[in-house]
Amino acid sequence: MKAKHQRLLLAGLGLVAVMGASGLALSALQDEAAFFYAPADVAGKPPPVGRAVRLGGMVAAGSIKPQPDGVSINFVVTDGKATVPVRFSGIAPDLFKEDSGVVAEGMFQPDGSFTATNLLAKHDERYMPPEMAGKMAAAETLEP
């Protein structure tokens, strides 16, 4: 076998190896990736039932309803254009409240509701940890 053919064979094997590794990585990411949806996105084209997704928006005022079991809550996520009812079982974050931002991780159900397995409460962009605010005030150079 000539040297030219050996280089072509090695380049071909390298290309096949890279394509195989890319395919495996994409396959693994597809199982773990959670796409982000807003309620208006869901109203237009709902995601597949049973697929892990993230739903983000604001908790609608007056929508938080604790359930009799003591660990489940029902609430509504809205973006001002559409709403999605959400059910969550577990301990809600301290920042979770009405009229605040939330990102719920979970799955859509066949009836269009969302079952959350994890809640991430969002705070506004002006939030600063108290320790950092104290340091900035002590420096007297930056506004907290």
Side-chain angles (χ1 to χ4, degrees), residues 3 5 7 16 23 29 31 39 44 51 60 69 74-75 79 100 108 111 117 121 125 137:
H5 292 127
R7 285 193 300 263
V16 169
L29 282 175
D31 292 341
R51 182 178 182 151
D69 64 3
N74 292 347
F75 59 97
D79 60 357
S100 67
F108 281 94
D111 64 355
T117 56
E125 65 277 356

Side-chain angles (χ1 to χ4, degrees), residues 37 41-49 108 112:
Y37 290 92
D41 298 336
V42 175
K45 183 179 178 189
V49 173
F108 281 94

Side-chain angles (χ1 to χ4, degrees), residues 79-97:
D79 60 357
K81 298 177 185 173
T83 60
V84 174
V86 178
R87 178 177 176 85
F88 173 71
S89 293
I91 299 172
D94 292 338
L95 294 174
F96 179 76
K97 59 185 178 183

